[in-house]
Amino acid sequence: AEAGYGKSTALAELAGEVKPLIWYQVNEEDNDPLVFLLHLCHAIQYALPEIADLPTAFLKGWDGAQGPLPWRGVVDQIINVLSYSLSAPTLLILDDAHVVADVGEVAHILDRLIGLAPAHLHVLLSGRPAITLPTLARWRAQGEHLGLDQSILTFTKTEISSLFALHYGLELTAEEAESLLAYTEGWAIAL
């Protein structure tokens, strides 16, 4: 969904209910595989401090003089550590994943991480345009992908009435709710 539809708000609410949860807020600089993998390791370590053997020290020591980053081996080590360490369902949220998911090496890193993830790790990618990954179509065909789009986050007339009653203390008439729906098209930030 585009900005203002409440993606991050919905994720924050989910984060309050789901434990354990790893949250990674993706930024532009995360298009660099080294930065992405280092931030991923830190997010995992922050959420699950008991996990050991993540390749954080290796990544911190990497200066590029040795050649290209061997990201496949790093991703595999992260997957192995998670496979060994996770004993309960764990959610990894990558908020604003669209920043890194569409092109470049980080898209392939994500694809490998998700494709080889242990059974207890569930990955939620949140972004503005539809997120694409090299293997996404196959996961969708196998029923291993659940896509939620902007229509799910768009408020209905009934939801608008509930929002105003519960959060703003205002009882709307049916006409007022209909008018707000027409004016805002259910856009959360406008409401």
Side-chain angles (χ1 to χ4, degrees), residues 49-86:
E50 68 281 1
I51 287 186
D53 298 326
L54 287 168
T56 310
F58 172 80
L59 292 166
K60 284 181 180 180
W62 189 265
D63 64 7
Q66 307 94 316
L69 179 69
W71 62 260
R72 284 175 188 81
V74 173
V75 171
D76 290 351
Q77 184 177 356
I78 293 169
I79 290 167
N80 288 339
V81 167
L82 291 173
S83 294
Y84 177 76
S85 302
L86 297 181

Side-chain angles (χ1 to χ4, degrees), residues 1-2 7 11 94-99 125-131:
E2 291 300 321
K7 295 179 304 298
L11 291 175
L94 290 118
D95 196 9
D96 289 331
H98 65 278
V99 174
L125 304 176
S126 172
R128 291 189 183 149
I131 294 172

Side-chain angles (χ1 to χ4, degrees), residues 13 20 29 42 58 78 86 88 92 95 100 106 117 124-125 129 153:
E13 189 172 317
E29 67 267 8
H42 283 297
F58 172 80
I78 293 169
L86 297 181
L92 167 60
D95 196 9
V100 296
V106 176
L124 192 153
L125 304 176
L153 297 170

